[in-house]
Each structure stands twice: as structure tokens, then as C-alpha cells.
């Protein structure tokens, strides 16, 4: 096995830092307009957020502010699965796909496992494309609001990345 070590660059190595906040609008009612859906789970068990083995897909609209009528930024498209037997932890694999003028076509790839019951959850940024090529960093997701009568949640996503 051959191993290479490349020294870390200086602070001025050409990397840019970007800090953004966007808002996910999550509709999980099961209606035809839902942006989150359970697609598979354990046979004989209810497919929900706290049931081990339940897999969800999402395609949430992203906006600049918490109001659903604020300027669109892109989509949050990905999968998440409840990965702990007690139903607390989920594994997330998510693409933040930008459609706004500033970052159109660029993506940020988010991945990680965390306690879904916490008000603030942190995940790693593992890559990016376009204006965020080779991104690394982290994101936090914060519960902003939830309307249980229509299963609608707004989540603030704080992004802190370095990229070329």
C-alpha cells in the first residue's frame, strides 16, 4: 500500500468561505402535495419517524426566509432513514440543489446521523458542485415552526462551508 501525505495549505490557499441560511418547507401529511414521504419500512410496523427501518424521501422547497412566499432558493432533495432501534436517530443523505440566480445549478451534499428529537441537529457537508465545488463544512437544522394540524414544518438550515 502506498500512502501520500499532502501538507495542508495556508489560510490563503484559494478556499472561499460561504455562510448561508435557508428555510426548508416540509409538508408530510401524506397528501398528493407532500414533500416528504415514507417509502418503505419494516413489515407489519407503522411507517413513521420513530420506527426503526423506515425510509423517507424528500423534495422540500427552500426559501430565503421562513415565509413560504419568500424568494425561492432551491430544493432540499434526499433520503433519510430511522437507524436506531429506539427510533431516536436518523441517517440523512441530502442534496441542497440551488435554483436561484446567484447559485443556480450548484449543490451542497449533506450527510450524517443525529438525534432527530433535538431542536438543533448538525450534519457534515461532504461535497458540492458548481460554485460550491469540493465543499466541506457543516450544516445545522433548527426547528423554526410546526403546524401539526396540517403536518407542515419550517426548518432553518445554517450552512458553513469552505470551497473553491
Amino acid at each position: 500500500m502506498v500512502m501520500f501525505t499532502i501538507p495542508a495549505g495556508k489560510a490563503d490557499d484559494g478556499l472561499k468561505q460561504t455562510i448561508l441560511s435557508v428555510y426548508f418547507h416540509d409538508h408530510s401529511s401524506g397528501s398528493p402535495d407532500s414533500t416528504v414521504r415514507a417509502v418503505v419500512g419494516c413489515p407489519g410496523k407503522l411507517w413513521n419517524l420513530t420506527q426503526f427501518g423506515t425510509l423517507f424521501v424528500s423534495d422540500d422547497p427552500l426559501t430565503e426566509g421562513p415565509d413560504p412566499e419568500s424568494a425561492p432558493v432551491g430544493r432540499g432533495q434526499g433520503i433519510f432513514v430511522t437507524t436506531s432501534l429506539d427510533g431516536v436517530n436518523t441517517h440523512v443523505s441530502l442534496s441542497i440543489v440551488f435554483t436561484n440566480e446567484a447559485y443556480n445549478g450548484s449543490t451542497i451534499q449533506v450527510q450524517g446521523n443525529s438525534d432527530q428529537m433535538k431542536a438543533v441537529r448538525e450534519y457534515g457537508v461532504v461535497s458540492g458542485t458548481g460554485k460550491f465545488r469540493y465543499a466541506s463544512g457543516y450544516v445545522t437544522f433548527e426547528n423554526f415552526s410546526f403546524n401539526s394540524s396540517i403536518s407542515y414544518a419550517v426548518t432553518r438550515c445554517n450552512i458553513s462551508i469552505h470551497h473553491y
Side-chain angles (χ1 to χ4, degrees):
M1 180 167 89
V2 177
M3 221 165 144
F4 294 96
T5 303
I6 300 171
K10 300 176 190 172
D12 62 350
D13 61 1
L15 286 178
K16 301 172 193 162
Q17 181 178 21
T18 299
I19 298 173
L20 300 166
S21 287
V22 297
Y23 291 82
F24 282 67
H25 297 270
D26 189 76
H27 300 269
S28 57
S29 65
S31 74
D33 296 333
S34 291
T35 60
V36 174
R37 296 207 182 180
V39 293
V40 71
C42 295
K45 300 286 185 178
L46 184 62
W47 297 356
N48 64 33
L49 287 172
T50 59
Q51 179 57 53
F52 173 71
T54 305
L55 173 72
F56 295 84
V57 295
S58 66
D59 185 9
D60 290 337
L62 304 178
T63 61
E64 283 183 6
D67 185 323
E69 300 302 317
S70 64
V73 174
R75 307 292 294 188
Q77 299 171 331
I79 59 174
F80 55 101
V81 62
T82 306
T83 53
S84 61
L85 289 171
D86 63 4
V88 172
N89 290 324
T90 57
H91 179 81
V92 173
S93 180
L94 175 74
S95 296
I96 298 173
V97 181
F98 291 92
T99 58
N100 63 339
E101 188 176 333
Y103 305 120
N104 190 24
S106 300
T107 67
I108 296 173
Q109 308 306 316
V110 176
Q111 185 174 328
N113 194 53
S114 75
D115 181 338
Q116 66 177 334
M117 302 304 166
K118 287 187 175 178
V120 179
R121 291 136 343 258
E122 183 175 321
Y123 300 94
V125 171
V126 297
S127 188
T129 63
K131 292 189 178 182
F132 302 120
R133 190 167 289 135
Y134 295 113
S136 65
Y138 69 95
V139 300
T140 60
F141 288 93
E142 300 176 41
N143 302 332
F144 185 82
S145 66
F146 180 65
N147 183 333
S148 61
S149 67
I150 59 171
S151 297
Y152 171 64
V154 177
T155 303
R156 180 178 174 176
C157 176
N158 302 300
I159 303 164
S160 179
I161 57 174
H162 288 93
H163 57 93
Y164 285 101

